[in-house]
Amino acid sequence: MSDSYDVIVIGGGPAGYPAAIRAGQNGLTVACIDEWQNRDGSYAFGGTCLNAGCIPSKALLESSELLHRAREEFPTHGIRIGAATMDVTQMQKRKAGIVKASTQGILALFKSAKVTGLAGHGKLLPGRKVEYTAADGTVTVLEAKSVVLASGSTPMPLKSVPFDGTTVLDSWGALDLAAVPKRLGVIGAGVIGLELGSVWRRLGSEVVVLEALDAFLPMADGAVAKEALKHFKKQGLDIRLGAKVTGATVAAGGVSLSYADAAGAHTLEVDQVVVAIGRRPNSAGLLAEGTGVALDERGFIRVDDECRTGAKGVYAVGDCVRGPMLAHKGKEEGVMVADLIAGRYGEVNYRTIPSVIYTAPEIAWVGQTEEQVKASGRPYKTGVFPFLASGRARAMEATAGFTKVVAGADDDEILGVHVIGPMAGELIAEAVLAMEYSASTEDLQRTIHAHPTLSEALHEAALAADKRAIDFPNR
Ligand code: FAD
Ligand code: AMP
C-alpha cells in the first residue's frame, strides 16, 4: 500500500469496482477501499450486488424456477421424474459458490488493472485525503488527486417492524434462509419484495405481500403491471394492495403483523417476515467535517449530471446518489467518472437505463410508459405482440405476456419498450440499443430477426405500431 494515489475509490460494489478498474486501465494509480464483511467475518469486494443482492437473488430465482418447471412443465414435455423436491442446503451451497466465484473474480480483475484493493473503512477528509481504517484497526491517512465515493445503500428499516435477523428479516436474511418457512410475510411489493416472495413461494411457502400503495408496480407500464399481477396471483402470491403495515409482535415461532387497509385494521400471522420497503444511501461515517460534499434531505450525496460533488476532485456514483438504485446504473457512472478523471470523454444516458424484474414472467422496460407519454401530451402510437403468438415461446411453454412498443405518432421515434414474458431482461437490450441510437419503429421493422426467436416479438410489436404485424391480427 502506498500513501498516495491518483484515485481512491471508497466502496467496491458495482459502482466502485468498475470505477477503480477503468481508472487503472487509464494508467492511473488507484486504490479501492471496501468494508463489506460476510457473516463469517471475512471481507469481500462486490458490495450488495454480488454478496447480498443481484447475484444471490438470481441464483435462487433460477433454482426455484427450475423446481417449478420440473413440477409443472416436465409432464407436458413427457418427462417423468417422479416427485421433484428441493434440497435447500444444496441450493444455498450452490448460491454461496456463485457469490464466492464472483467476488473473488474482482480480485483477479483488480490485479490485471493494477488496482490496490484495501479491506476496511474509508472516510473522506478535507482536501482529498482519505482516512483508511484497516481490518486490524490500523489507521492511515492516504492522499489522492481524485476521490470517488461509491458507498452504496442498505435496507430501509421499518420503525414499527424492527429487523431482528431471525424472524424479521432484511433482503440479505431472506436470501440466506436455511429452510422454507411455512408462512412468509413480505412488506413492500417493490422489485426486491416480489423477487424474494417468488423464490420462497415456488419452494412452497404461503407468501402474503403487503403493499401500502393501492397501485401495483406503479413505475411499470400500466398494461404490464396488470398482466404481472394476474400471473403472480395465479402463482399463489397473496398480494394485498393498500395494506399499510403499522406494527409487529414477535413471539416464539412467529410474528403477528398489524396492517390497515380501506376495510380497517387487520392482523396477519406468519412464521417470518421480510421487510422490503426500499433502500437508503450509506453516508454515515463516510464524510468528515469540512469536506464540501453535501447530502440532500434523504441522505443522498448531491451530484451534478457528471457525478461531481461540491468538492473539487470528489465524485460520487451508484446507490449513494440520485437515480434508480440499479447495479448497471452505478457501473456506468463509475466508468464515466474514471474516464472524466483521466481527461477522456464520459457520459451516462439516464434516459435509456433498463429496468428488469426477474420474476416469472420476467418484466423489463426502457424509456417511457404509455401513461407517461400520454401525460406529456405528445401524440403517440403503440404496438403490442403477445408471446402466445410466438412459435419459440410456444415451443418453450412460455406464452405468458407480451412486448409493447410506444412511439411518437408523427416522427415514429421509439419512446419506450415494455416486455413481460420469457427472457424479458435479455430482450430489452435490443430496445436499449435502438433507443440509444434514437431509432424509429421503422428501423426495428426493417431489422431482420432470426426465426424462431423470442426477439421476433419486438420486431412484430414494432410492426404492430403501424398495424403491419404479420404473425398476429392487427387491431
Ligand atoms: P453497493 O453494492 O451497496 O456497494 C457499496 C459498497 O461500499 C459496500 O460493499 C459497502 O460495504 C462499501 N462501503 C460503504 N461505505 C464504506 C466506507 N465508508 N468505507 C468502505 N467501504 C464502504 N440491481 C440490479 O441492477 N439488478 C438486480 O437484479 C438487482 N437485484 C437486487 C436484489 C436484491 C435482493 C438487492 C438488495 C438489490 C438488488 N439490486 C439489483 C440493487 C443493486 O444491488 C444495487 O443497485 C447495487 O449494488 C448498487 O451498487 P453500489 O456500488 O452503488 O453500492
Ligand atoms: P421499492 O422502493 O421499489 O423497493 O418498494 C418498496 C415498497 O414498499 C413500495 O411500494 C412502498 O409503497 C412499500 N411500503 C413502504 N412502507 C410500507 C408499509 N409500512 N407497509 C406496506 N408497504 C410499504
Side-chain angles (χ1 to χ4, degrees), residues 22-95:
R22 177 54 61 84
Q25 288 169 345
N26 284 337
L28 302 172
T29 57
V30 46
C32 181
I33 305 172
D34 197 297
E35 66 184 358
W36 184 279
Q37 277 185 281
N38 294 311
R39 298 200 195 280
D40 64 4
S42 60
Y43 284 79
F45 285 92
T48 305
C49 176
L50 271 64
N51 292 289
C54 326
I55 300 303
S57 61
K58 267 77 257 179
L60 296 190
L61 281 157
E62 190 67 24
S63 298
S64 59
E65 178 62 8
L66 279 179
L67 177 71
H68 173 80
R69 294 187 67 188
R71 285 176 174 165
E72 304 295 324
E73 289 176 23
F74 278 18
T76 314
H77 287 269
I79 304 171
R80 306 258 182 265
I81 54 163
T85 56
M86 177 60 82
D87 173 349
V88 176
T89 307
Q90 169 57 23
M91 176 185 79
Q92 292 292 20
K93 198 170 145 198
R94 187 190 88 98
K95 182 202 75 182

Side-chain angles (χ1 to χ4, degrees), residues 189-202:
V191 177
I192 293 173
L194 289 171
E195 290 187 359
L196 294 173
S198 294
V199 166
W200 296 107
R201 172 67 204 136
R202 291 169 191 163

Side-chain angles (χ1 to χ4, degrees), residues 158 187-192 210-213 219 243-246 276-279:
L158 183 57
I187 307 179
V191 177
I192 293 173
L210 300 171
E211 167 55 53
L213 298 177
M219 65 289 200
K244 190 173 161 54
V245 176
T246 51
I277 60 164
R279 299 179 59 81

Side-chain angles (χ1 to χ4, degrees), residues 383 441 445 458-470 474:
T441 69
Q445 290 170 12
L458 179 56
H459 188 217
E460 287 283 327
L463 287 162
D466 286 335
K467 304 206 181 322
R468 291 162 67 82
I470 300 296
N474 294 288

